[in-house]
Amino acid sequence: GLYTASSVMLACLDYQTLIAKNLANASTTGYKGERLRLSTFEDMLLGLSPDGDGSLGLGVIPTGAPIDLTQGSLRETERALDLALEGSAFFAVQTPDGVRLTRDGSFGLSSNRELVTLEGYRVMGTNGPIVLPEGDVTITEAGLVLVDGANVAQLALVVPTEEGELDKVGDNLLAGPYRPAAPEEGRVLQGYLEGSNVDLSDT
C-alpha cells in the first residue's frame, strides 16, 4: 500500500511540474504544450516479461510527456517580419547545436541583415541562411521572400518525420528528425504570430 501511494504521489508531482511549465508559457509565442502519459507498474513490467503473465501490485509511473503539436491561435501584428504558420510545418533555424524546429515566427534582422530569431539564431532558407537587402519585405503564403518585388529567398519549411522522437530545447525549439514540408503542409502568414496552444481551461 505504501509503494502504491508513493508512486501516485510522485506521478502527481511530475504532473504538477508539467502543468506549471505549460501555464508559465501560456502566452509564449509558438509554444507547444506537453501532456503527461502514465502507465501502471503492472502494464509496464508485465509487458517486458517474455510471456506477459503474472501478477503485480498497483501503482503508476510516468512514461513520457508527448508534445502537443496542435495549432495555436493567430494574432495579427502587421509587422513585416512577424510570421505565423498554418498547418503542420515548422520554421528551420540554425543553432550552435544544429538545425532546430520552431513555430515562433517573431523574427528580426542581425547586424548583417540576416533573418534571425529573438535569440539570434539564423532562419534557414532552401539555399542557406536568409539575408535581406534594404527594401520592402513581402513574404508569400508559400514562403517566397521578396524585397521590393525581387525574389531573394525561399523559407525552408519542414515537418517532423517522427513526432514521438521530438525533444524540447528550451521553450520554443524542437530537436528531432525532419523533412521538407509539402506545399499543402504549411501556409505562411505575414504580419501574424501564432500563440501558445496551451488551453488554460484544460490544464
Side-chain angles (χ1 to χ4, degrees), residues 69-168:
L69 298 182
T70 57
Q71 179 88 41
S73 60
L74 300 180
R75 173 174 58 88
E76 187 172 9
T77 66
E78 299 183 353
R79 182 174 172 271
L81 297 184
D82 281 345
L83 305 178
L85 286 169
E86 282 188 333
S88 56
F90 285 77
F91 300 109
V93 298
Q94 182 68 55
T95 76
D97 298 316
V99 174
R100 297 293 183 257
L101 284 57
T102 186
R103 296 276 291 201
D104 182 358
S106 49
F107 301 139
L109 291 177
S110 70
S111 58
N112 298 324
R113 298 196 62 81
E114 290 179 316
L115 191 64
V116 294
T117 67
L118 293 177
E119 297 80 13
Y121 302 138
R122 296 183 295 177
V123 180
M124 300 301 291
T126 53
N127 293 319
I130 296 174
V131 180
L132 299 179
E134 295 279 357
D136 293 329
V137 178
T138 301
I139 300 175
T140 70
E141 292 185 354
L144 192 64
V145 182
L146 309 172
V147 177
D148 289 339
N151 180 12
V152 297
Q154 170 71 49
L155 283 167
L157 303 182
V158 299
V159 293
T161 54
E162 297 291 340
E163 293 185 7
E165 295 184 19
L166 291 175
D167 294 316
K168 280 278 188 76

Side-chain angles (χ1 to χ4, degrees), residues 39-61:
S39 292
T40 65
F41 284 135
E42 183 175 9
D43 289 340
M44 183 184 71
L45 295 181
L46 292 183
L48 295 176
S49 66
D51 52 13
D53 294 328
S55 61
L56 293 169
L58 302 177
V60 295
I61 187 170

